[in-house]
Amino acid sequence: MICDLLIAGGTVVNETGRFVADVAVKDGIIVFVGRPDFAPRATRTLDAVGRYVIPGAIDVHTHIREPGMTQKEDWTTGTRAAAAGGVTTIFDMPNTDPPVWSLEALATKREAAERQAHVNFGLYGLLDERSLDVLPALAEAGVIGFKLFLGNTTGNLPAPNDGAVLEGFEILAELGLRCSIHAENSPMLFWRENRMKAAGRDDAFAHLAARADIVALESLNRSIVLSEWTGARIHIVHESCMRSIPIIRDAKARGVPMTVETGPQYFLLAAEDLTGDKARIARLNPPIREGAQREPIFKALVDGTIDMLGTDHAPHAMAEKQHASFWDNACGFPGVETSMRLMLTQVHQGRMTMEHYVRMASAAPARSFGLYPRKGVIQPGADADIAVVDPGQEGTIRGADLHSIRSRFTPYEGMETIGAPVATIVRGRIVMQGGTVLDAPGWGRMERPQMPKPEPRNLATTTKAILRPGAQSW
């Protein structure tokens, strides 16, 4: 057998351990992992001696912005940024224009992605009051999961009524797909924000005060209760509060079908260090919190209480971050390109291992969203979605270098890193090498989940059940 690509001499790292091996790829699939003297011949060889060969990162939380907001990002710029960052699969959130609440909107986004994407992608459907009747059809059409906004965000989508959320969870419990939740209490945060605006508060800490921990804690608890009652699988996005950690541990111990993500911003940055232009750039929802919260969040990520790493990659045009009033500055910043470098630096510093990183960045996302073991592991039969990492490569993060060319700013400006992806391979094709993204528009494939059999609960109490004539609930 002659293969398409041989990655030679690297140290393969999965979540369970590491070993030196050659990796051979044919037709986009890993066909061999083993000793060099047994490796098949290949038409192309990539030297990986002294480097790590890991499953490509899966970023379950990105905002590519197309359709409707391409002044911020599009599928070309966003997926080039992913390729530059060692990310081989991204999941795109549904708060575009139009939002993904219909089959037509899903088809529009899928067409744009399939035409431009350099890496693989999954597309979320939107769970809100208008989409309840179409959730099964969106699932059949291949969405990776659903997104529920309990707090306001870009796109100004109103938080659904709790009754609609309950009914949506009842539907999703029978479908088995996971629902990612922006867990902030909208009435609380809007009330507090409006009170501060009326009092003349116009500063970075006002944004943090509007979205104090209680805003997230209440929404987290509500999400857990609804998940536990219905059996709907949930995923809490961008967890930022150390006070959430015991709640998450307790819910998981009870068997609540939940996973959790956090991002580098919540354990590398501190609110008290963000002033002036840096505070405007770093404004996002939920906010970067006090420095004392960083270490508990990081430890929970390493020990697995928080399952995975996402970025909430949320680019904006630079002008949208330069308003005089702090409240008028857009929330979010690019993250998909810098995450791996930031985390490899934590490995270099001894705060975590490469195995930890592979688990949180690739294996756990793949398992949680129905892609494992096709993704998230280097082994025969898996997709050849691979990042080759130089653990000693030094660099400095600069916004001017980002591939999100409409959003060349970052709160990590000037941060020194050690360790970087030096090649990104998507289904056997090298899409980045030596820091240069190679032209591969349309190579990305839409990923469809294969979730375990659903386990809905309290079926006699569901909205569908009680609508039947003569129905009773005991």
Side-chain angles (χ1 to χ4, degrees):
M1 176 176 63
I2 298 178
C3 295
D4 304 316
L5 176 66
L6 182 69
I7 305 169
T11 299
V12 172
V13 184
N14 287 318
E15 63 178 332
T16 54
R18 65 183 74 187
F19 50 91
V20 176
D22 284 4
V23 178
V25 175
K26 185 174 179 61
D27 297 329
I29 303 296
I30 297 172
V31 295
F32 173 86
V33 181
R35 289 170 47 183
D37 44 342
F38 293 109
R41 290 183 296 159
T43 57
R44 182 174 185 180
T45 298
L46 184 64
D47 182 7
V49 173
R51 294 171 173 176
Y52 294 127
V53 179
I54 67 173
I58 300 171
D59 192 339
V60 303
H61 192 156
T62 70
H63 297 270
I64 299 302
R65 307 299 195 193
E66 186 176 5
M69 291 179 268
T70 53
Q71 79 278 9
K72 304 173 187 285
E73 185 81 285
D74 61 30
W75 281 96
T76 295
T77 60
T79 57
R80 286 177 64 86
V87 178
T88 54
T89 303
I90 61 171
F91 296 172
D92 187 55
M93 291 298 175
N95 56 322
T96 42
D97 184 13
V100 185
W101 56 31
S102 68
L103 290 173
E104 293 76 16
L106 176 65
T108 297
K109 179 175 281 193
R110 180 174 182 173
E111 185 280 327
E114 289 179 333
R115 178 167 33 87
Q116 302 173 63
H118 287 62
V119 303
N120 301 317
F121 59 91
L123 301 178
Y124 283 102
L126 181 67
L127 171 57
D128 77 350
E129 295 177 22
R130 291 158 290 190
S131 67
L132 293 179
D133 291 340
V134 78
L135 297 181
L138 287 169
E140 179 66 23
V143 295
I144 199 68
F146 290 88
K147 178 66 180 287
L148 168 63
F149 293 97
L150 294 178
N152 76 306
T153 185
T154 300
N156 293 322
L157 298 171
N161 178 281
D162 285 349
V165 175
L166 173 59
E167 185 171 351
F169 277 24
E170 292 165 352
I171 296 168
L172 296 190
E174 295 196 77
L175 295 174
L177 294 185
R178 197 169 294 277
C179 183
S180 292
I181 304 172
H182 180 129
E184 291 186 290
N185 182 301
S186 267
M188 283 184 185
L189 70 87
F190 276 123
W191 179 271
R192 292 166 69 88
E193 180 177 316
N194 290 335
R195 293 280 285 169
M196 283 188 289
K197 286 179 178 178
R201 289 288 303 275
D202 187 13
D203 58 272
F205 279 96
H207 180 235
L208 175 58
R211 296 170 182 265
D213 289 16
I214 182 60
V215 171
L217 294 172
E218 188 283 331
S219 188
L220 171 65
N221 274 285
R222 182 163 29 118
S223 300
I224 288 170
V225 168
L226 293 173
S227 169
E228 191 166 27
W229 180 262
T230 61
R233 294 174 174 136
I234 62 171
H235 176 67
I236 303 299
V237 303
H238 44 48
E239 181 54 67
S240 62
C241 298
M242 63 182 182
R243 293 176 179 86
S244 296
I245 295 168
I247 298 170
I248 293 165
R249 288 189 179 128
D250 181 66
K252 287 185 171 184
R254 298 199 310 271
V256 177
M258 69 181 299
T259 55
V260 185
E261 105 199 15
T262 192
Q265 58 269 33
Y266 296 118
F267 52 83
L268 296 180
L269 303 177
E272 53 265 38
D273 298 332
L274 301 173
T275 58
D277 287 343
K278 194 169 185 178
R280 293 184 178 90
I281 286 172
R283 187 182 185 221
L284 80 164
N285 301 322
I288 292 163
R289 301 191 185 278
E290 306 87 346
Q293 304 219 34
R294 291 177 293 184
E295 191 64 15
I297 291 290
F298 183 77
K299 287 181 177 178
L301 176 63
V302 173
D303 72 25
T305 302
I306 296 175
D307 301 83
M308 69 193 74
L309 189 74
T311 64
D312 194 6
H313 174 78
H316 297 280
M318 188 62 185
E320 296 173 299
K321 285 285 194 178
Q322 295 177 323
H323 295 287
S325 170
F326 190 82
W327 297 108
D328 292 338
N329 287 286
C331 292
F333 49 79
V336 72
E337 185 170 344
T338 54
S339 179
M340 186 176 288
R341 289 173 61 187
L342 292 168
M343 300 310 293
L344 293 174
T345 303
Q346 309 311 303
V347 173
H348 176 81
Q349 293 172 351
R351 301 185 72 199
M352 56 186 276
T353 66
M354 278 299 298
E355 288 84 353
H356 285 136
Y357 176 68
V358 170
R359 187 258 302 160
M360 65 181 65
S362 191
R367 275 195 303 271
S368 299
F369 285 88
L371 301 180
Y372 192 90
R374 188 163 53 81
K375 298 186 186 298
V377 62
I378 303 290
Q379 66 181 21
D383 289 350
D385 291 347
I386 299 167
V388 180
V389 168
D390 182 347
Q393 180 168 308
E394 299 182 6
T396 303
I397 294 177
R398 304 289 185 195
D401 298 333
L402 297 180
H403 288 75
S404 291
I405 58 175
R406 300 176 183 88
S407 301
R408 283 185 162 157
F409 55 82
T410 172
Y412 308 114
E413 183 72 34
M415 190 173 290
E416 295 180 354
T417 60
I418 300 179
V422 292
T424 303
I425 300 159
V426 176
R427 298 192 342 273
R429 179 173 180 172
I430 299 173
V431 297
M432 184 277 283
Q433 188 168 12
T436 299
V437 177
L438 307 177
D439 198 31
W443 183 247
R445 176 180 64 190
M446 180 169 164
E447 300 294 344
R448 301 172 68 106
Q450 292 182 316
M451 297 294 286
K453 182 180 178 181
E455 298 180 5
R457 303 169 187 166
N458 293 309
L459 294 177
T461 75
T462 65
T463 305
K464 181 172 67 175
I466 65 174
L467 289 176
R468 299 190 186 109
Q472 294 180 335
S473 175
W474 302 101

